[in-house]
Amino acid sequence: MINFNNLELVVNEKYSFVGLERRNSQIRFCLPKGFPNKPEELQRFTFNTKRDLFFLLYKVFDQFKNICIEKGYLEENNDMTTSDRDGMVKINQGADISEDDELDENIFYSKLDMISGILKAHDEPKILSLVYRLGRSDHFDHSQIHKFLHRAVFLPNGAAYIDSMDLPRQQVRFESTDIVAMYCYILWEIKQQLQQKVGVEIKALAEQFKQHYIGGNYGLFEEEYYSQVIDSLKEALELIDHNTPFKDIDYWQFYDAIELFLYGELRQTDEGEIWGIKNFHSVWESMCLTYLAQTENLSYLLHLDNRFIPSYWVKIFNSSAKVINLSNNTFKINTSQIVPDAVFFSFILNKIEERYYEIYPYLGWSDSYFYRTNFCLINDYNLNLNKDIVKIAYIKQGEEHTFYLLKYKINETKMDKNRPEFSKKHLSKKGLVIDKCLPPYFFSFWDIDNKELDAEAIYKMYYFKHLFYLYLVNNLTSWDNLESVDIFEDSIIKRIIKVQEELKNFYRNNHLNSAMNIIEYSLWRGRSQNQINKMLNSFLKAFFDMDENYISIIDIKYYDVNYLLDSRNIEEIKNRSVRKQFVYEYLIQKEVKKLPEYWNQLKIRSSFLLPGYNQQSMIEDGQKFMDGYIHLKTVDFVKLAESYVSDNFG
């Protein structure tokens, strides 16, 4: 087994291999691009860091290999075994991604796959059958005598003599442990590093071996005890092999797996790749695109290159309705088909951030009807909003102020005496906290300044359920409604008006003095339908023209970010990557121009997803590239890898 302390870490800037290799008689651990590539930075990586990265990459490679098998790029029986001296498998299907890729085939290397040797021997029923295999025994179970009468020698007095019985016993056994228990111990240690479970019986055999040969709380993959435990295992293997008189095919299967695990590093003397994968960009693409399929709203994920995505997620992606349907011919030029990695509709309504607002009702106005919905909004996000009056109503609202209907559903607060609003006439000093959407059947309205429409204004519309926001969400994919805007034909508005008319009739029939309609007279202040629809039209145009709403062409790049930012590489990058983005944008722009009003004004942008390391969040914005034409985003490799191998992978 490899001592992680002795592993030399490298990051190949122009070489696509990731894994273990031997160079100048030294085992090197080749990390993916995006990791620190300066020797002084890599020297800070501890035993535990190297160990965790090794096992994480092992799980990533295993996941990718399973996808290749599922897709038919690799036959299942091509898995490496200890007898594969070449230890190399190539897959060509789906690997020729574009002219800027480093290789046109993915190559798995497994000349020294010590971990797989142990895992492949894991057959729990077989292990238990070896430990408790039936054999001739000198012990007798009198309750089982009737099963062995056919072996009996009958004496003259009629008594039956039986000299042995076939009873459960441990066959391959030396003193208190055996080759199977030793294997179980190594398997148990590996499974813990892979964060996988083993059966209770396997764990019991492992602990039995550990107590007898290793002792204490020493762990195989702990820096302090690693060398000591490995030496103990080598001594145990020699002792067990020397003292086991009968060695059948099952014995040698476990022995070979253990021997490879303990001595494999010493046997591998050839220079070159030992374990890992060349053309890692395919793995990186699989990781990134699978993450997009798992985490993004699939209605907004318009296109996905599915060559290295599990069929489970491809099926879910294909079954989801899209806000914009891209035809099969979108990316076809003459007879050639070009395929971007992903196309996503980036929509501000999918990026609502947490906000905290305080609202205080205006009470005591002489016009009790018009002002029963008025609130003063206080927040710290945009000072221009502080002067706004927010009008909030309830679908069944009568004469009472909305404040008295809301106060039982959300948290109350008191105004700070030092705020300038404290001196306002008719403004209550008791208010409400809005840190999530208004409760059901509450909604709001205020005049929108379309020239200043920004993210904060949209967040505010979301939290207060502005009627224009409700119309937008309700009709986002109803293109006919967007082409002919009429808020009074919207199902939500119709329902509110219907309830209000029913209340109006109720008050009239019961001789109660309460004017209605709360929307028309309190929220819209008597504006005509034509005026409201013109305001809605202007809002929709301004909304779809916001920088936060655009179609994003995502290209997965297995580059170090410094390579892209180096001015010496700019011409090479243009030829290999940027020109392709121009073509994608041109083809999508033609499709966008065919869309209905508002949609056809959407902008198109390109972004590269690059590997990163030790980031605060999964995806972070990088530096400007090509004068901001292409957005660079770095993806934390470790966080992404953990997501890729997680249980919700599919």
Side-chain angles (χ1 to χ4, degrees), residues 352-553:
I352 300 296
E353 298 180 3
E354 292 184 359
R355 288 294 181 264
Y356 175 95
Y357 305 96
E358 293 181 15
I359 55 173
Y360 296 88
Y362 283 99
L363 303 174
W365 287 71
S366 57
D367 189 336
S368 62
Y369 179 70
F370 268 13
Y371 298 102
R372 71 182 66 171
T373 60
N374 281 12
F375 289 84
C376 175
L377 171 67
I378 296 177
N379 72 88
D380 297 320
Y381 307 110
N382 187 332
L383 294 178
N384 291 330
L385 294 181
N386 286 338
K387 64 183 180 182
D388 285 355
I389 292 179
V390 175
K391 294 167 282 186
I392 303 174
Y394 177 58
I395 191 171
K396 294 183 178 181
Q397 189 165 349
E399 293 183 333
E400 63 276 273
H401 195 286
T402 319
F403 173 77
Y404 300 109
L405 301 170
L406 268 177
K407 64 183 295 187
Y408 301 108
K409 298 179 180 295
I410 56 180
N411 294 330
E412 293 188 60
T413 187
K414 291 183 179 181
M415 189 184 299
D416 187 340
K417 294 181 179 180
N418 296 320
R419 292 201 66 97
E421 295 87 355
F422 193 84
S423 61
K424 283 189 176 182
K425 188 179 180 181
H426 302 302
L427 186 62
S428 172
K429 305 309 178 280
K430 291 183 178 180
L432 302 170
V433 172
I434 305 296
D435 55 4
K436 52 182 174 293
C437 272
L438 289 178
Y441 309 117
F442 287 87
F443 44 88
S444 69
F445 187 82
W446 61 86
D447 291 357
I448 304 295
D449 187 348
N450 295 316
K451 293 181 180 179
E452 297 185 7
L453 191 65
D454 59 9
E456 289 299 337
I458 299 301
Y459 299 159
K460 178 184 170 187
M461 296 177 73
Y462 164 80
Y463 278 95
F464 289 92
K465 294 166 65 174
H466 192 286
L467 289 175
F468 285 1
Y469 166 82
L470 296 179
Y471 181 90
L472 173 64
V473 173
N474 200 36
N475 296 280
L476 187 61
T477 56
S478 302
W479 287 354
D480 291 341
N481 291 349
L482 289 179
E483 285 185 321
S484 179
V485 172
D486 187 350
I487 195 169
F488 295 92
E489 291 299 318
D490 179 74
S491 59
I492 295 177
I493 306 301
K494 280 185 173 181
R495 182 182 180 191
I496 295 172
I497 293 176
K498 180 182 178 182
V499 171
Q500 286 285 302
E501 288 300 317
E502 290 174 351
L503 281 174
K504 182 177 180 179
N505 294 332
F506 170 80
Y507 281 110
R508 181 184 295 116
N509 295 335
N510 288 275
H511 307 289
L512 298 175
N513 183 23
S514 181
M516 291 290 150
N517 177 308
I518 198 73
I519 291 182
E520 183 178 353
Y521 293 107
S522 190
L523 298 191
W524 289 341
R525 295 294 195 264
R527 291 187 177 101
S528 67
Q529 293 187 13
N530 186 49
Q531 288 176 305
I532 295 299
N533 282 331
K534 281 185 177 180
M535 293 171 63
L536 176 58
N537 261 303
S538 298
F539 163 73
L540 292 174
K541 181 175 178 58
F543 175 81
F544 279 93
D545 199 43
M546 292 178 66
D547 288 339
E548 290 83 356
N549 299 320
Y550 57 91
I551 294 177
S552 175
I553 303 172

Side-chain angles (χ1 to χ4, degrees), residues 9 36 38-47 49-50:
L9 297 183
K38 295 181 180 179
E40 58 270 22
E41 293 178 299
L42 292 173
Q43 287 174 3
R44 299 192 191 107
F45 282 54
T46 64
F47 176 98
T49 304
K50 296 177 185 179

Side-chain angles (χ1 to χ4, degrees), residues 145-173:
I145 287 179
H146 62 283
K147 296 181 180 179
F148 300 94
L149 290 178
H150 62 288
R151 293 187 185 175
V153 176
F154 290 91
L155 302 178
N157 62 1
Y161 173 77
I162 301 174
D163 62 352
S164 66
M165 286 186 176
D166 289 340
L167 297 176
R169 69 177 180 86
Q170 295 184 348
Q171 176 176 328
V172 185
R173 183 175 179 82

